[in-house]
Amino acid sequence: MGNKSSKSRQTNMLKSRKPSKNSFRYSDGRRFHNDTKYIMPNDDEEVDRLQMQHFLYRNIWNGNYSAPVTEFLERGNCKVLDVGCGPGTWLLDMSTTYQGSTFIGIDISPIFPTGIKPPNLTFYAANVLKGLPFPDNHFDFVYMRNLIIAFTEDEWNTVIGELIRVVKPGGWIELMEGNLEFEGEGACAQVLLGAFRSILRSNSMNPKICSQIYTFLSTSPLLKSFSFKEKLIPIGKWAGKIGEIASQDFCSLFLAVRGAICRVLEDERIIKGCSCGIKECHVGNEIFDKDGKNICDHENRWNEEYGELIQEIARECNEEKANYRHYRFFAQKI
């Protein structure tokens, strides 16, 4: 009973969808997805950052996951779901390694590959906040990572509930996240991270979500064998190549949300406001006359100031020997 309507809902939600012009908005020279609180861009620059980040995490963690699912994957016929898969780098890596298992990735922004990919890998455009388009007890392993800047505190509980719903009894879920803070947070890091945390809080997001994830998974009556692991990711040249890549990742992240952070810093008078006198003028806004000529473009004004902050945080992280604490939480469904 109910299976027919569930399958129909799944089929409709999984139909291939091409993004329309209204799917995106453009700000500060970057492309963002509309109809979502996720504040990061979804353009080629961001894809490059996420791909680099994947290999950083794989090296730091010495593997792509921590849940005890290797036997499932090697045995074959294992169904794996990656929620919020982005460009699909984790899935491309996993599906190539475990060719006998099946992998599915979903993301609200279809920036994943649609052409060349392993035959055991499929991508769909879908929004987890509207419900995962899969039946109950369907996957052996459900994975999700780095969505601290995507969900409100209330939405986290809904999303984790969906992950639990679609995993089979005896299957595993794993979440990888880190709080938005450094260990060894110097003055510049406090400015930039403080602005970023302020942006998240203004959107009802928790920049220190890991304790909530821990509590939800460790106390859920639907899960057992809860465990977590943590790693320190060093930031800066002091830690060699890994530290350099981590520093590059964070600098790229701050550049990706430059407009949003500059609005906060301008309001806090950390960077200078514009003196053009145009009421509508603000960081990230371009003002045009009736002929389409740009009257006041903030970019030249604050590019230099913000660029100096990025250079300073890289120098500071190296001097302070900063680290970013990262977690993997995993549990088995009863």
Side-chain angles (χ1 to χ4, degrees):
M1 292 180 64
N3 287 342
K4 191 172 182 179
S5 61
S6 176
K7 287 181 180 179
S8 175
R9 172 176 172 268
Q10 178 187 355
T11 301
N12 289 335
M13 293 182 73
L14 289 180
K15 284 181 179 177
S16 178
R17 294 181 296 181
K18 293 183 178 180
S20 67
K21 289 182 179 180
N22 294 329
S23 296
F24 307 121
R25 59 182 174 83
Y26 294 84
S27 177
D28 190 30
R30 303 297 297 269
R31 188 186 74 183
F32 297 81
H33 197 94
N34 266 331
D35 193 30
T36 175
K37 291 188 177 75
Y38 187 71
I39 67 173
M40 296 300 293
N42 68 348
D43 52 19
D44 290 344
E45 284 185 65
E46 178 64 3
V47 168
D48 289 343
R49 185 186 75 85
L50 292 173
Q51 289 176 337
M52 176 185 69
Q53 187 186 72
H54 167 75
F55 295 105
L56 169 67
Y57 290 152
R58 191 180 71 177
N59 188 292
I60 288 288
W61 284 95
N62 195 31
N64 281 323
Y65 55 88
S66 292
V69 295
T70 301
E71 184 179 343
F72 289 168
L73 293 165
E74 290 180 342
R75 186 174 62 217
N77 296 317
C78 181
K79 293 181 180 179
V80 180
L81 174 66
D82 182 6
V83 176
C85 65
T89 316
W90 183 84
L91 285 165
L92 289 164
D93 198 352
M94 290 286 287
S95 59
T96 302
T97 302
Y98 301 105
Q99 297 181 21
S101 291
T102 302
F103 296 82
I104 292 177
I106 69 159
D107 200 283
I108 191 172
S109 287
I111 58 174
F112 38 73
T114 56
I116 300 174
K117 57 183 177 60
N120 59 331
L121 171 58
T122 306
F123 293 105
Y124 298 107
N127 185 352
V128 63
L129 292 176
K130 296 181 179 179
L132 289 172
F134 306 103
D136 298 354
N137 308 320
H138 190 67
F139 293 96
D140 299 286
F141 183 36
V142 177
Y143 181 80
M144 190 174 78
R145 72 182 185 189
N146 295 346
L147 291 179
I148 186 175
I149 51 179
F151 307 133
T152 67
E153 287 193 79
D154 290 340
E155 287 170 345
W156 269 100
N157 293 338
T158 300
V159 170
I160 295 175
E162 275 294 282
L163 305 188
I164 295 173
R165 179 184 68 78
V166 299
V167 75
K168 297 176 182 177
W172 291 81
I173 67 169
E174 178 170 322
L175 286 78
M176 185 172 79
E177 293 290 340
N179 293 325
L180 196 59
E181 60 185 353
F182 292 167
E183 296 185 10
E185 209 171 280
C188 187
Q190 289 175 18
V191 167
L192 290 174
L193 286 169
F196 209 153
R197 289 189 286 256
S198 176
I199 293 166
L200 295 189
R201 292 190 186 101
S202 70
N203 285 291
S204 301
M205 297 175 181
N206 185 351
K208 300 181 180 181
I209 195 64
C210 290
S211 61
Q212 183 176 332
I213 295 173
Y214 178 99
T215 299
F216 192 104
L217 295 182
S218 63
T219 60
S220 172
L222 301 175
L223 300 174
K224 65 178 182 179
S225 303
F226 168 77
S227 187
F228 77 98
K229 295 182 178 181
E230 59 185 277
K231 292 280 187 180
L232 283 178
I233 299 178
I235 309 169
K237 294 180 179 179
W238 67 272
K241 186 65 176 177
I242 289 297
E244 288 186 47
I245 294 173
S247 179
Q248 183 182 345
D249 177 44
F250 276 106
C251 287
S252 296
L253 181 146
F254 288 125
L255 285 170
V257 290
R258 177 175 57 176
I261 288 181
C262 278
R263 291 184 188 97
V264 175
L265 298 184
E266 187 178 80
D267 289 341
E268 295 177 352
R269 303 186 184 279
I270 293 172
I271 62 173
K272 295 177 182 177
C274 188
S275 58
C276 70
I278 300 174
K279 182 180 179 181
E280 295 83 2
C281 188
H282 201 285
V283 171
N285 293 337
E286 294 181 326
I287 309 301
F288 301 93
D289 64 16
K290 63 181 180 179
D291 298 319
K293 182 180 178 181
N294 196 331
I295 299 173
C296 180
D297 181 355
H298 274 71
E299 186 166 351
N300 291 332
R301 178 177 59 78
W302 48 256
N303 248 359
E304 185 175 346
E305 273 188 278
Y306 195 72
E308 288 173 357
L309 285 174
I310 297 299
Q311 292 178 7
E312 176 60 18
I313 195 173
R315 184 202 64 77
E316 186 181 85
C317 284
N318 189 56
E319 186 176 276
E320 298 287 340
K321 295 187 176 179
N323 286 277
Y324 176 63
R325 191 173 295 274
H326 217 228
Y327 299 89
R328 282 180 174 175
F329 306 94
F330 48 100
Q332 187 177 32
K333 186 172 179 178
I334 294 174

